[in-house]
Amino acid sequence: MGNKNTPEIRFPGFIGDWEQRRLNEYLTTSKVKNRDERFGKEDVLSVSGDFGIVNQIEFQGRSFAGVSVAPYGVVETGDVVYTKSPLKSNPFGIIKTNKGQAGIVSTLYAVYKPNDNVDSKFVERYFENDQRLNRYLKPLVNKGAKNDMKVSDDNALIGTVVFPVEVDEQRKISSFFNQLDNLITLQQQELDTLKQTKQGFLQKMFPKEGETVPEIRFPGFSGEWEERKLSEIAEFNPKSILPDEFEYVDLESVVGTNLIAHRTESKESAPSRAQRLAQRGDVFYQTVRPYQKNNYLYDLPYNNYVFSTGYAQMRPIIDSYFLLSRVQEELFVKTVLDRSTGTSYPAINSNDLSEIEIKVPTDNDEQTQIGNFFKQLDETIALQQKELDALKQTKKAFLQKMFI
C-alpha cells in the first residue's frame, strides 16, 4: 500500500513521493485564436466523454460552427481542452487531450498548452476518473455565475493535483492506459461484428415478407414453411401460483437475450407486476419498447423466478430457441411496432401479440437446428460481452489505484 503521496500500484523503477501542485504549474491557458482563419468549419472539433477530441463533422455528421470561426480557439496536437459547459454525465465538464490533428474549438471550450514538466496525455488519464474530476472541479465553480456549474478558463487551473515528479513516469502510465483502451476497442469491435453477424443471419435464415422459404437453410431440409399465429404455437401467460419468496425479474433485468439481474421478493410485498412464474423453456417477450429486443428464454433449473407483466410469457409447443430467435428478427419487430400504441413508450398487449403470424418450418428438426445455431451465437456474444465488461472493470480499478 502506498502512502498519501504515492499510488497503490506503481511501475518498477520509480520511487519517491508524487508532488502536490496547482494545475497551472503544468498547463498554461492558450490565447491563440483562429484570427487568420487558417482553419475552416470543416476543422471544428468536438469533445466527447467516450471518444475524446474528434472532428465534429466525422463525429456528428455536420459542423455546428457559427457564422465566423475566427474567434475559435486553435487546438494543436497534445493540447488539453476543457469543456466549460456542463454535460449530463459530468456536471462540471470534462478534460481531454487532443491526440489527433490540429483544429479549432468554439468559445465553449478552454484550451491549454502543456508545460515541459507534464505529459498532456497523463493529465487526461488523471481526470478520467469521474469522481476525481468532479472533486477537483466542484470547488472551482465561478461564484455568482448564471450557470452554477460553470468553471472559467483560468479557474479550471487553480485546483490542486498530485502528479509524478518524473515525466517518464507520467508517460509510462498514460501509455499503459492507451494499450488498455486499444484492447477494449478491439474487444468492442469484435462484439459489434458478432452482433452484426447475428442480425445478418436473422434476416437470411427466416423467410422474407411474401416468401415461404428462407434464403439460407441447413442441408437436408426442403419444402415451404407454414404460417402460424403465435397463439397456435405457444400458450400465453399461463396461470400459476406464486411461491412465498421468489427472484423477481423486471424490465431492466434483461439486456439483449441475457438476464443481468434479479432480486429477492416476498409474495406479500412484491410489486403488483410480479405475476409471471417462469418454467424452463418459457420465452419472455418485452412488450414495452419492443424495439429494444430485450427478450429472454428461461433455461434455469429453478422454479422460483417471477417476471414482470411488462413481459408476455410464451410457453412454446415448438422449439423454444427457434421462437426466441424468430421474435428477435427485424421484420417481426416491425410488425409488433405497427400494432403497438404510444410514441415515447410504444407497447403491445399480449392479446395483440398472440395474433401475429410467423412462418415456421414444418420439420421439428429444422426448428431445433436453427434454434441451436442462434443459441450458440448468443452464448458467444454473451462471452464476448463478459470479457469486454471485465476489461472495463479492470481499467476502472487501475484508474483508482494508479493515481492519487
Side-chain angles (χ1 to χ4, degrees), residues 37-91:
E37 299 200 41
R38 173 164 61 102
F39 296 99
K41 292 185 178 182
E42 68 278 4
D43 301 308
V44 174
L45 304 175
S46 283
V47 182
S48 161
D50 293 328
F51 302 102
I53 299 175
V54 292
N55 182 280
Q56 194 174 81
I57 294 175
E58 294 174 6
F59 180 57
Q60 296 180 308
R62 55 168 289 197
S63 175
F64 294 89
V67 176
S68 171
V69 292
Y72 281 36
V74 174
V75 183
E76 303 289 350
T77 304
D79 286 353
V80 176
V81 178
Y82 167 56
T83 306
K84 291 181 285 184
S85 297
L87 305 175
K88 288 182 180 178
S89 56
N90 300 86

Side-chain angles (χ1 to χ4, degrees), residues 295-314:
N295 307 310
Y296 182 66
L297 192 159
Y298 186 76
D299 200 20
L300 301 176
Y302 310 112
N303 59 2
N304 65 334
Y305 275 67
V306 175
F307 284 67
S308 163
T309 53
Y311 298 96
Q313 181 179 9
M314 294 182 280

Side-chain angles (χ1 to χ4, degrees), residues 56 148 226 319:
Q56 194 174 81
D148 292 338
E226 62 180 5
D319 184 84

Side-chain angles (χ1 to χ4, degrees), residues 86 187 242 249-250 317 345 362 382:
Q187 195 80 14
L242 301 187
V249 180
D250 61 20
I317 59 174
Y345 295 90
T362 54

Side-chain angles (χ1 to χ4, degrees), residues 180-194:
L180 197 52
D181 274 348
N182 289 338
L183 280 175
I184 290 172
T185 299
L186 181 62
Q187 195 80 14
Q188 184 67 63
Q189 289 172 346
E190 292 177 358
L191 178 61
D192 292 342
T193 299
L194 273 173

Side-chain angles (χ1 to χ4, degrees), residues 82-87 89-94 133-135 137-139 141 148-151:
Y82 167 56
T83 306
K84 291 181 285 184
S85 297
L87 305 175
S89 56
N90 300 86
F92 305 103
I94 54 177
L133 173 66
N134 291 341
R135 259 197 325 266
L137 288 171
K138 187 175 181 179
V141 171
D148 292 338
M149 298 294 105
K150 195 170 184 180
V151 181

Side-chain angles (χ1 to χ4, degrees), residues 144-185:
K146 183 178 180 181
N147 184 339
D148 292 338
M149 298 294 105
K150 195 170 184 180
V151 181
S152 66
D153 299 19
D154 292 332
N155 266 18
L157 295 183
I158 63 175
T160 300
V161 294
V162 184
F163 284 3
V165 177
E166 296 185 48
V167 178
D168 283 346
E169 185 173 8
Q170 298 174 19
R171 291 190 183 119
K172 192 136 189 173
I173 293 169
S174 59
S175 176
F176 169 78
F177 281 100
N178 286 342
Q179 293 174 31
L180 197 52
D181 274 348
N182 289 338
L183 280 175
I184 290 172
T185 299

